């Protein structure tokens, strides 16, 4: 059995237990010596896994801890690292910080060889924040928050030709197209779904109104209307 699989099985065996699991039971289940179990548990504890107990007594996960099942291979882990880098580079600060924290939690329960492999990936998304990019990241955060809270937004918007318009929209989702973001929404002015480019939003504010998704104007309806391709910009 690979060491990475053995460490995963130790965590899995301890999850949800209310009483200590003796090391001898772990050794019998894994088909290894008691010394190997003691060493593996000590390594997990040093990596940040909240295991309590000691040799001769048994082990439990600290009360309130919730360790997710992990069986990532090297390629899967590299994808997570690269994804985190892209989120940090192109998303709002809130999502970027969440991605960074999530990856740290995952790495805390990885065996050293996988953790080192993840750190060596050579795919980068450099984070560069001038004032314009910082302001844009804050806008993405505000739009994301409005989507989560079903808040109606009032937008001062410019179309592709630079023509201004004021819109009240029911924001439904954000999409990243590998270079540009779009806000998918129900536009009350047009009475239809529209995509809005955040980089063309000159100002935005919440109206104080909370909308309810109704048939014909929900996220599912929007996605069906998009049909896998980008609908026309407003």
């Amino acid at each position: 059995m690979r060491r990475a699989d053995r460490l995963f099985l130790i965590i899995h065996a301890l999850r949800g237990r209310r009483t200590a699991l003796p090391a001898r039971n772990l050794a019998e289940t894994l088909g290894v010596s008691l010394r190997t179990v003691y060493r593996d548990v000590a390594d997990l504890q040093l990596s940040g896994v909240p295991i309590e107990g000691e040799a001769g007594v048994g082990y439990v996960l600290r009360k309130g801890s919730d360790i997710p099942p992990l069986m990532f291979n090297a390629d899967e882990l590299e994808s997570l690292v690269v994804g985190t880098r892209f989120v940090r580079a192109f998303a709002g600060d809130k999502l970027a910080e969440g991605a960074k924290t999530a990856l740290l939690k995952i790495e805390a329960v990885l065996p050293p060889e996988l953790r080192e492999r993840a750190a060596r990936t050579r795919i980068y998304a450099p984070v560069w924040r001038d004032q314009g990019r910082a302001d844009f990241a804050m806008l993405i955060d505000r739009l994301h928050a409005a989507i989560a809270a079903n808040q109606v937004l009032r937008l001062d918007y410019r179309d592709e030709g630079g023509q201004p318009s004021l819109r009240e929209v029911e924001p439904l989702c954000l999409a990243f197209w590998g270079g540009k973001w779009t806000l998918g929404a129900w536009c009350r002015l047009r009475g239809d779904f529209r995509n809005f480019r955040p980089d063309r939003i000159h100002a935005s504010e919440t109206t104080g109104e909370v909308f309810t998704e109704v048939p014909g104007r929900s996220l599912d309806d929007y996605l069906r209307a998009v049909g896998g391709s980008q609908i026309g910009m407003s």
Side-chain angles (χ1 to χ4, degrees):
M1 180 185 297
R2 294 187 312 152
R3 182 169 181 272
D5 294 334
R6 195 169 67 241
L7 295 177
F8 165 79
L9 289 174
I10 290 173
I11 295 173
H12 183 72
L14 297 178
R15 183 181 295 107
R17 290 187 61 89
R18 296 185 178 181
T19 58
L21 179 62
R24 187 171 301 279
N25 290 21
L26 281 171
E28 292 174 355
T29 299
L30 299 173
V32 297
S33 68
L34 274 173
R35 177 175 293 184
T36 298
V37 170
Y38 295 152
R39 185 176 63 246
D40 287 347
V41 170
D43 288 344
L44 286 170
Q45 290 171 325
L46 287 174
S47 297
V49 180
I51 297 175
E52 295 182 336
E54 59 186 78
V57 177
Y59 301 101
V60 294
L61 285 175
R62 185 179 306 131
K63 186 176 181 181
S65 300
D66 185 18
I67 303 298
L70 295 174
M71 285 192 71
F72 297 122
N73 61 34
D75 290 337
E76 292 167 342
L77 188 59
E78 186 173 21
S79 295
L80 288 172
V81 173
V82 172
T84 299
R85 290 177 178 177
F86 272 80
V87 170
R88 291 183 65 193
F90 299 112
D93 291 337
K94 184 177 181 181
L95 283 177
E97 186 61 28
K100 178 182 176 181
T101 302
L103 188 60
L104 287 174
K105 290 180 179 179
I106 291 171
E107 290 176 340
V109 295
L110 290 175
E113 59 268 23
L114 276 183
R115 189 162 58 247
E116 292 170 6
R117 167 66 185 270
R120 290 198 305 268
T121 181
R122 297 191 180 188
I123 300 177
Y124 298 97
V127 179
W128 176 53
R129 287 279 198 269
D130 59 10
Q131 190 57 51
R133 288 175 179 263
D135 291 343
F136 187 78
M138 291 177 60
L139 174 60
I140 294 296
D141 281 341
R142 291 198 302 271
L143 296 177
H144 183 206
I147 291 168
N150 282 19
Q151 295 176 323
V152 176
L153 291 173
R154 183 176 295 112
L155 307 180
D156 177 359
Y157 193 71
R158 302 294 189 272
D159 65 15
E160 188 174 5
Q163 293 298 313
S165 61
L166 292 176
R167 309 290 186 97
E168 280 197 2
V169 304
E170 300 172 9
L172 299 171
C173 66
L174 282 164
F176 183 65
W177 299 83
K180 297 294 182 182
W181 285 90
T182 57
L183 171 70
W186 176 264
C187 177
R188 292 180 171 180
L189 178 64
R190 303 302 187 200
D192 203 352
F193 295 116
R194 287 291 187 273
N195 282 344
F196 297 92
R197 285 259 297 266
D199 58 325
R200 295 177 184 165
I201 296 174
H202 281 230
S204 67
E205 62 180 2
T206 59
T207 65
E209 179 185 353
V210 175
F211 70 92
T212 301
E213 292 188 27
V214 296
R217 289 162 52 178
S218 68
L219 175 60
D220 288 341
D221 295 313
Y222 165 81
L223 294 175
R224 281 192 292 269
V226 171
S229 62
Q230 185 178 7
I231 62 177
M233 295 296 176
S234 297

